Amino acid sequence: MTAELVRGQNHPLPHTRLDIRVSAGKPVVAAAALSDEDGRVPGTEWVAHPAQPALPGVEVSRQATADHLLAVDLNAVPASAHRVTVLLALPMGPGCPVRFGAVAAPFVTVGPPDGDEIASYTVTGLDSESAVVALEFYRRQGAWKVRAVGQGYAGGLAACLTDQGLDRAGELAAVVQESVASGLARTVGTPPPRTSEVRHNAAAAATAGDPGSSADPGPAPAAGPGSAEGPGRRPSAPATPQPPAQTHGGPIDYTHPRRQSAAPPSPPPAVPPAEPGRPPVPVAGDATGWSMEERLYNQVWGMFEDLARTTAAYRSAVDFADSRLDQELDRALSDPRSRIAGAGDGAREAARAKHDELTGRAREVLDRDLAQLAAESEVVEPALPPAFASWDSPVWHGYRVPMEIPMALRLGDLHLPERPELRIPMLVRLPLERGLWVDSGRSTSEAAVTLDEARLRALAVDTAVAHAARLLAVYPAGEFTVHVIDPAGSAARSLTPLVRSGVLDEPPATGAQGVSAVLAKLTQRVDLVQMALRGGAADALPPDLDTAQQLLIVNDFPHGFDDRAVTQLRYLADEGPAVGVHLLMVADREDASAYGPVLDPLWRSLLRITPVPDDHLADPWVQHAWTYEPPAVPEGSDVLGAVLAKVAQARRTRRR
């Protein structure tokens, strides 16, 4: 039975190998500090954090995420360490919350890797604090106990580490924040909330990796396909219902309008019985959720996690086999007896045979899991609604302008080199929490190297137009407005579908004057809505103010931008998403290199995507480098024009 701790309460620990799970709703930084007998942290080398994730007996996440898994082996911590403290802090950056009082209370559980949870603690009572000591593990009369602490610090991670007795705590806090800043900029996102989890059955991966011969288990492995939910699948819980934002009676509410029902989630479809000795037949929508849309969303996230974890298990097993081969070959070479009667040749052949056996067994487990995921993808992909579907899906042939905002949007596909043809839809939640940056620069990817600069820039604008078209298509008529800045008019050909269909209220802005006019208009809108919401006077907004979500497409930045325009653009990137103004930048960072580090916060605040395949995105679990495939409209297809024509007609009908 799980002990539900309150602040200050302690609990004995029957196990010393523990998993600490943190669920915070929003990305947080997790760290662990080792303290001496006096409760002081002697130096930075005693703190496990994203830039230094592993210490003896302690391992933490490498980035800020909403869900963390920290591994602790209390028997492996140094004998001079008498206390292990779990610290949580909010990351610093555009769009990040600045105090714990503005996010859901962090929930922390402690339990063995292969058993039930021992204790849990909800860190309540936080307000202006941006860092908190959640738990501490301490020695008492030769045994370990856990205590719920809940001590918050308004001064952030630096104040928290200072209170732990660490010298130069501010420098370490800066290193940690800088480390997670790049992770936040490149991470795909965080998975949907889960209210319950099924422990991983890691037997298959453990067999492949022969962990009995290694002290380092590697990344958390994924189990083989043992249920209809796929390899190692943890059933997803429905997204937590959230109350609407308080707008004091006004017409503006930029929170998602759905997921507010108190009814239980709809049960997933019945899974057909599997034939004896064969894996279960996959079914579209077999995750939990409040609707079929949400079940499919959770199922796609589950497939994403399964592919990440089963690949991590395979790579860990191969790394172990390679390391073991090197060690055995070194022993064979250093043993004088190996030079007698060919004994060395036999030892080397035996070592290579063992290596091939281990890697072969690991590959068998991986192939089995990938086959199950491929079968699941084949049934899920045709069932996806327009917001989740690829442009070549038949669902677009029967497209209708929706009446409600979907919960997510497909930005492209993700895949790993172990099976490139297995594509996972890249879904991001709506409304967008951060802007998008289509990088038109020449990256190191093979696809970008083979293209000339002009072709790469044209593809970047085409990609931006495809994203804008999908956003217009998935929002109800009149609830999404697109503005375009094209200072030199260089994107006229790519922008033709938007212009010709009539979905733009105004033609693309050109020249420095056009740039200034659009930015001034959107900046004023952000100011007005912010003041109205903060002052509780949303109903006092000007009647001609467009309260729909706004998307600003910016091409060829920084051409046509003066210093004032650059400042306004940064302001929109930082403050816009909270009040419904979003950026879609098409730019080469090198073109703006003259601004130096001034624009670094702008680039970090945007999610970078590419017009050609590129392996620059990371998952929030094991940090694989995923290859991103941009959304491609089938060659010769007019699906984009047909969809935009229906959107434009619905907008005209609504205005009558």
Side-chain angles (χ1 to χ4, degrees):
M1 181 176 179
T2 303
E4 298 181 1
L5 305 181
V6 297
R7 184 173 181 176
Q9 183 179 357
N10 59 37
H11 191 78
L13 293 172
H15 307 275
T16 55
R17 292 192 63 190
L18 302 167
D19 279 354
I20 305 165
R21 298 179 182 272
V22 180
S23 179
K26 291 286 186 179
V28 297
V29 180
L34 305 182
S35 306
D36 59 20
E37 192 172 7
D38 297 327
R40 293 183 67 260
V41 178
T44 57
E45 69 277 5
W46 285 51
V47 182
H49 53 81
Q52 177 184 279
L55 295 179
V58 179
E59 185 172 357
V60 302
S61 305
R62 294 179 178 269
Q63 68 170 31
T65 68
D67 296 279
H68 287 271
L69 173 60
L70 287 68
V72 174
D73 185 351
L74 296 173
N75 284 338
V77 300
S80 56
H82 290 258
R83 193 182 306 268
V84 180
T85 306
V86 177
L87 316 175
L88 305 177
L90 294 173
M92 299 171 62
C96 296
V98 298
R99 59 188 185 91
F100 273 110
V103 301
F107 178 69
V108 188
T109 64
V110 178
D114 55 354
D116 295 332
E117 293 163 354
I118 299 170
S120 66
Y121 174 44
T122 303
V123 189
T124 57
L126 300 177
D127 185 14
S128 61
E129 297 88 347
S130 57
V132 63
V133 175
L135 298 174
E136 65 177 10
F137 302 89
Y138 61 97
R139 301 181 196 262
R140 181 61 54 86
Q141 297 179 349
W144 286 91
K145 291 186 176 183
V146 59
R147 176 184 289 121
V149 181
Q151 176 63 54
Y153 298 86
L157 186 58
C160 180
L161 292 171
T162 299
D163 197 43
Q164 301 294 312
L166 178 65
D167 294 332
R168 304 170 69 180
E171 295 180 12
L172 179 58
V175 169
V176 172
Q177 293 291 357
E178 182 179 357
S179 172
V180 300
S182 58
L184 286 171
R186 66 187 291 266
T187 302
V188 172
T190 51
R194 305 172 188 271
T195 57
S196 62
E197 294 184 344
V198 177
R199 296 283 180 178
H200 282 242
N201 174 13
T207 301
D210 194 8
S213 303
S214 173
D216 180 9
S227 71
E229 290 157 336
R233 180 68 49 82
R234 303 178 183 185
S236 302
T240 306
Q242 298 290 340
Q246 296 297 319
T247 58
H248 303 277
I252 302 174
D253 182 359
Y254 291 109
T255 60
H256 199 286
R258 299 166 62 191
R259 248 117 275 131
Q260 297 173 16
S261 170
S266 306
V271 179
E275 299 179 14
R278 297 181 63 85
V281 178
V283 175
D286 71 344
T288 56
W290 300 94
S291 63
M292 185 61 174
E293 177 196 41
E294 192 163 2
R295 293 201 297 269
L296 287 168
Y297 172 79
N298 286 337
Q299 186 173 13
V300 168
W301 264 102
M303 294 165 61
F304 185 25
E305 181 177 0
D306 287 344
L307 182 53
R309 293 192 184 279
T310 195
T311 304
Y314 168 72
R315 293 179 180 179
S316 178
V318 170
D319 288 344
F320 166 75
D322 291 343
S323 175
R324 178 169 176 167
L325 175 63
D326 291 341
Q327 294 173 8
E328 293 184 352
L329 290 177
D330 288 342
R331 284 197 296 268
L333 291 173
S334 61
D335 188 351
R337 293 172 297 179
S338 65
R339 294 190 287 271
I340 302 173
D345 293 338
R348 285 190 291 271
E349 290 178 4
R352 292 191 179 96
K354 182 62 174 178
H355 172 272
D356 293 343
E357 179 188 359
L358 291 175
T359 55
R361 284 156 56 189
R363 186 72 208 193
E364 288 178 6
V365 173
L366 176 68
D367 288 343
R368 181 191 64 193
D369 289 353
L370 294 181
Q372 178 70 6
L373 283 170
E376 188 173 11
S377 178
E378 289 177 359
V379 299
V380 169
E381 189 70 44
L384 296 177
F388 301 175
S390 61
W391 283 114
D392 59 359
S393 171
V395 73
W396 290 107
H397 298 314
Y399 166 76
R400 293 181 180 180
V401 177
M403 301 297 292
E404 291 183 317
I405 304 172
M407 67 180 301
L409 182 85
R410 185 172 186 161
L411 287 184
D413 295 331
L414 299 167
H415 64 81
L416 292 172
E418 279 73 11
R419 182 167 291 188
E421 67 274 15
L422 178 56
R423 309 291 177 85
I424 305 296
M426 178 181 170
L427 304 181
V428 296
R429 294 296 293 263
L430 291 178
L432 295 173
E433 295 183 355
R434 59 197 294 198
L436 304 176
W437 165 30
V438 183
D439 190 353
S440 60
R442 188 178 299 280
S443 65
T444 57
S445 70
E446 181 179 349
V449 170
T450 59
L451 295 174
D452 61 61
E453 182 178 338
R455 178 57 180 159
L456 197 58
R457 290 178 183 270
L459 284 176
V461 183
D462 290 343
T463 301
V465 169
H467 288 310
R470 184 182 290 267
L471 281 163
L472 284 164
V474 302
Y475 270 82
E479 293 192 20
F480 199 86
T481 302
V482 175
H483 309 267
V484 180
I485 289 178
D486 185 21
S490 59
R493 184 198 62 80
S494 297
L495 294 172
T496 299
L498 297 177
V499 176
R500 185 174 55 192
S501 63
V503 295
L504 299 180
D505 292 341
E506 299 174 350
T510 57
Q513 187 174 357
V515 171
S516 298
V518 173
L519 291 176
K521 179 180 178 180
L522 291 177
T523 301
Q524 182 185 42
R525 182 193 181 282
V526 171
D527 290 339
L528 288 173
V529 175
Q530 280 187 338
M531 288 189 294
L533 295 178
R534 290 170 181 170
D539 52 352
L541 286 168
D544 60 341
L545 183 76
D546 184 4
T547 57
Q549 296 274 318
Q550 311 285 311
L551 177 71
L552 174 60
I553 302 176
V554 179
N555 180 48
D556 212 12
F557 176 81
H559 181 78
F561 281 72
D562 56 20
D563 290 346
R564 176 179 173 80
V566 170
T567 301
Q568 289 176 318
L569 192 68
R570 288 185 55 190
Y571 176 73
L572 293 178
D574 292 343
E575 304 294 336
V579 290
V581 177
H582 313 281
L583 287 185
L584 176 49
M585 298 272 291
V586 181
D588 179 357
R589 189 168 182 173
E590 288 299 317
D591 292 344
S593 59
Y595 287 94
V598 172
L599 290 182
D600 286 353
L602 172 65
W603 304 118
R604 286 198 298 265
S605 70
L606 304 174
L607 174 62
R608 176 178 174 258
I609 52 181
T610 53
V612 294
D614 190 272
D615 60 348
H616 67 283
L617 292 173
D619 63 79
W621 300 287
V622 290
Q623 290 283 286
H624 289 317
W626 293 74
T627 298
Y628 167 78
E629 292 273 353
V633 178
E635 188 173 354
S637 172
D638 190 36
V639 61
L640 211 63
V643 168
L644 288 175
K646 292 183 179 181
V647 172
Q649 178 60 39
R651 289 165 63 89
R652 288 191 293 268
T653 301
R654 184 177 181 273
R655 291 172 181 172
R656 291 174 184 169

